[in-house]
Amino acid sequence: MNCTLCGDRAVILIREEQLSLCKQHLIQRILDYSRTVLEMIKPGGTSIRIAVATSGGKDSTVCLHILHSLLEEYTLDIIAIAVDEGIEGFRNIKLHRLKKFAQNLGVDLNVVSFKEFFGASLDEMVKLSLGKGFMYKPCTICGVLRRYLLNKTARELGVEYLATGHNMDDEAQSILMNILKNNIDKIARSAPITAIKHKKFIPRLKPLYYCTEKEVMTYALIQHFEIPVVDCPYLFFNERRILRRWLNKVEYLRPGTKKRLISLKNRISLNSQREPTKRVKLCTKCGEPSSEDICKTCQILEYLEINMDGG
Ligand code: SF4
Ligand code: ZN
């Protein structure tokens, strides 16, 4: 299989476009997609400080690498933040590699942990939740508390944007999940840059928004990134995993399904009569941004009877 554009050996076939790309043209394509997103924040000569939310997985590693490649072109000031949730046999392995990766790039990596900040690791929280009827599943606790800590840390580090490794597959899965939850507002708000505006909320930037997971994975392979192949022990509870598998099967049968879901989202956003931005309050317990009077993090900690002592 040869590259459609130059005839060199191809590393990827993009079925929905009948396009084969060599290493250089795939890199070019991903850089161009990321440029499209960076253009939206319109860096105008002055340096833009961005924190990349890194987990040691392929998506966030590629995101960090891509932004680092565009550092001079867009006058970016890049740092990385990693949250150590405290998942034994998983996150510690991922973070070990991530530290070396960031060090080789020369990017400052800030690691914050559930144990230090909230007073308990995710493993400990899952046990507490199990003992109380398991109202909060591991991925809910993990996701809510991780986003909370990322936002707080990014704000304290004085960044303007928090970049995440979300790709088109993640977006397509989110659209499906929100259709199933009848959450039209969330579908309409999904975008490469979040529209939530509040001085305590750091806007999210998704440089890989237009790249498929296959493109991101191939990029990680051709760049020889050493990403530990280890699954989270709580993956079984992850709803998204089920949708991901299903969507991949449908994509195989009908190439372009994921892109069509993104187009559907764009049409929903255009036709939406609702406010494009979400109203943000401040949690009455911890003072962090929240859509409810008491934020989800405080609700979870209260349920688990954990007193947040790190903040
Ligand atoms: Fe967290 Fe669930 Fe992902 Fe594990 S699978 S890292 S618990 S969100
Ligand atoms: Zn709170």
Side-chain angles (χ1 to χ4, degrees):
M1 189 171 70
N2 293 328
C3 177
T4 316
L5 304 178
C6 71
D8 271 5
R9 192 173 69 86
V11 293
I12 189 169
L13 167 66
I14 301 164
R15 288 174 69 219
E16 66 276 17
E17 295 178 36
Q18 295 287 307
L19 183 69
S20 307
L21 294 179
C22 65
K23 182 177 170 178
Q24 286 316 319
H25 279 111
L26 173 65
I27 293 174
Q28 204 52 54
R29 179 180 170 99
I30 295 183
L31 283 172
D32 284 346
Y33 277 148
S34 305
R35 285 186 179 105
T36 306
V37 177
L38 286 172
E39 291 293 333
M40 293 176 192
I41 60 175
K42 270 277 167 250
T46 51
S47 171
I48 295 204
R49 188 164 161 83
I50 299 176
V52 183
T54 47
S55 65
K58 71 172 187 329
D59 297 329
S60 58
T61 302
V62 170
C63 179
L64 178 59
H65 193 259
I66 286 284
L67 285 183
H68 189 263
S69 308
L70 296 169
L71 204 103
E72 286 181 10
E73 189 176 330
Y74 284 92
T75 334
L76 307 175
D77 173 14
I78 306 270
I79 57 166
I81 303 175
V83 176
D84 181 0
E85 305 94 341
I87 307 172
E88 200 46 45
F90 172 66
R91 187 61 75 214
N92 46 337
I93 297 173
K94 295 255 183 195
L95 288 182
H96 181 69
R97 287 281 348 149
L98 176 64
K99 282 174 190 165
K100 288 190 177 168
F101 186 83
Q103 198 176 11
N104 288 343
L105 275 187
V107 172
D108 182 21
L109 173 67
N110 301 267
V111 182
V112 282
S113 86
F114 277 18
K115 182 79 180 175
E116 276 172 31
F117 190 83
F118 300 114
S121 68
L122 183 68
D123 286 340
E124 290 166 339
M125 292 183 196
V126 171
K127 282 191 192 126
L128 286 172
S129 186
L130 269 168
K132 289 174 176 290
F134 216 29
M135 188 169 103
Y136 291 113
K137 302 287 183 285
C139 297
T140 305
I141 304 174
C142 180
V144 170
L145 271 59
R146 190 192 321 119
R147 284 192 291 275
Y148 181 96
L149 210 42
L150 279 171
N151 187 63
K152 195 171 194 318
T153 309
R155 196 178 66 232
E156 286 168 3
L157 290 168
V159 306
E160 288 156 84
Y161 292 94
L162 181 63
T164 63
H166 289 95
N167 57 47
M168 185 189 286
D169 288 47
D170 297 315
E171 292 307 310
Q173 291 153 20
S174 297
I175 292 165
L176 266 185
M177 277 176 79
N178 286 316
I179 288 173
L180 297 177
K181 289 179 184 168
N182 191 19
N183 199 339
I184 200 101
D185 287 2
K186 271 198 175 172
I187 297 173
R189 279 199 303 266
S190 155
I193 302 171
T194 46
I196 301 172
K197 288 191 172 40
H198 191 281
K199 65 179 188 320
K200 290 190 103 176
F201 181 83
I202 304 299
R204 306 298 197 264
L205 183 74
K206 299 172 188 168
L208 306 178
Y209 186 88
Y210 298 109
C211 307
T212 62
E213 185 169 8
K214 184 176 168 183
E215 288 163 351
V216 173
M217 193 188 293
T218 310
Y219 182 92
L221 283 172
I222 60 178
Q223 296 285 6
H224 305 293
F225 294 160
E226 286 180 38
I227 314 253
V229 185
V230 51
D231 281 338
C232 173
Y234 305 119
L235 198 61
F236 172 78
F237 297 101
N238 196 303
E239 284 175 43
R240 189 178 274 272
R241 184 185 62 130
I242 302 166
L243 281 180
R244 180 172 177 256
R245 279 192 186 163
W246 181 81
L247 199 52
N248 284 344
K249 279 186 193 163
V250 181
E251 176 73 35
Y252 182 76
L253 295 171
R254 284 182 172 270
T257 297
K258 293 169 188 169
K259 283 187 182 157
R260 282 191 291 278
L261 269 170
I262 302 289
S263 307
L264 171 77
K265 186 233 47 138
N266 291 337
R267 284 171 59 192
I268 291 174
S269 307
L270 275 176
N271 295 327
S272 177
Q273 299 298 312
R274 295 153 205 262
E275 280 185 83
T277 52
K278 188 177 169 184
R279 282 187 192 283
V280 182
K281 309 175 186 178
L282 291 180
C283 170
T284 51
K285 280 192 85 174
C286 70
E288 287 297 308
S290 167
S291 54
E292 300 166 63
D293 291 339
I294 295 182
C295 76
K296 203 80 191 157
T297 294
C298 285
Q299 290 179 33
I300 291 175
L301 294 177
E302 199 172 295
Y303 174 78
L304 301 176
E305 294 180 69
I306 293 173
N307 287 318
M308 195 187 325
D309 52 19

